[in-house]
Amino acid sequence: MWDDKGEQYLDLYGGHAVISIGHTHPHWVQRIEEQLKKIAFYSNSIKIPLQQELATKLGQLSGKEDYQLFLCNSGAEANENALKLASFYNGRKKVVSFTKSFHGRTSLAVSVTDNKNYIAPVNETGNVIFLPFNDGQALEDCFAKNGKEISSVIIEGIQGVGGINVAEDSFLKKIRSLCDEYGAVYIADSVQCGYGRTGKFFSHDFAGVKADIYSMAKGMGNGFPVAGIIIAPHIKPRQFQLGTTFGGNHLACAAALAVLEVLESEKLLGNAVMVGKYLKEELKSIPELKNVRGRGLMIGFDVPEALKDLKKNLLLNQKIFTGEAKPNVIRLLPSLALKKRDAEDFIEAIKEEIAAMAVQEA
Ligand SMILES: Cc1ncc(COP(=O)(O)O)c(C=O)c1O
């Protein structure tokens, strides 16, 4: 990226994991431009063949070919529809969510988000049960007590806003088996950790489980607002349950198709694994940085109080964008096309900044 003075920056944050294939990728620009000249929008009262094309391609690349697709415009909206559909499906009201989760800012999505500052009184509902993340026993106890009332369990495969906390494979398996036993719906919030970011299409795939509904947004459009849920075949939405004016419009579908085409042709999931592995190994070898974690190109690490200006210094001195999670985590969510040599530059830069701050301290 370049600023208004022509200064060049390396973007390792992609505007909260949105830039999946790279800013202004030529194929993405071309796809959108060509579509714009044909038609940008018409409502869902007509059949839009691009939606079918997108559904087919998404099914192929994600390995969920038998799932159904509903398109909307943002991550919050995707989760809102997922939670609502689950409740339509089993007629129940309660939702299980986890500590440090973030699922969006609209009414139901924010009510399952573990941050009191975001929840207005009008969003408060007695229907949400928050449980400790990765605590299998607490989950079992909760189902034993409320199992027949639980409509859905919503979980990020890797918590993003919460600080890059990886859901254990055994925990996701437990969610799957308890949802099966009690007739609840497993919702995999893949808005931040999905769409190839971890090297698998959905991070929940690492656990070898299939969720009933996956929500997605962010990287899906590489900056064009598009989101969706994919729905397992046993959940059969009825007409009028879900709807949208803008969701799945022609331009959004063109952008989303361009992203999938580039993910495939440039083998970006493999690149995320390779560059992510390199970054994690190198970061782990820097003694000042603690608890380096994550999968693929979704990486977080703890920064000690003495290095609290590290993120700012990386930006001002090294022209490198990183992200944060409060209070002390640096989050890396770069484009999946990040080159190894850019990752090497970042490692050099972070070592330089840490050394400079150590000198200042002394
Ligand atoms: C895991 C997760 N779910 C949902 C959302 C909400 O997405 P949006 O901001 O597109 O509504 C976010 C956004 O950060 C997210 O990280």
Side-chain angles (χ1 to χ4, degrees), residues 279-288 292 347 351:
L279 274 173
K280 253 172 61 176
E281 277 167 9
E282 291 296 317
L283 288 166
K284 277 184 179 168
S285 74
I286 302 175
E288 289 84 354
V292 178
I347 295 296
K351 283 181 178 166

Side-chain angles (χ1 to χ4, degrees), residues 74-77 79 102-105 156 161 189 191-192 217-218:
S74 71
E77 210 187 315
N79 285 330
F102 183 89
H103 298 293
R105 295 185 185 254
E156 296 158 80
V161 176
D189 181 339
V191 167
Q192 188 164 149
K218 294 198 189 279

Side-chain angles (χ1 to χ4, degrees), residues 56 166 332:
T56 304
V166 181
L332 304 181

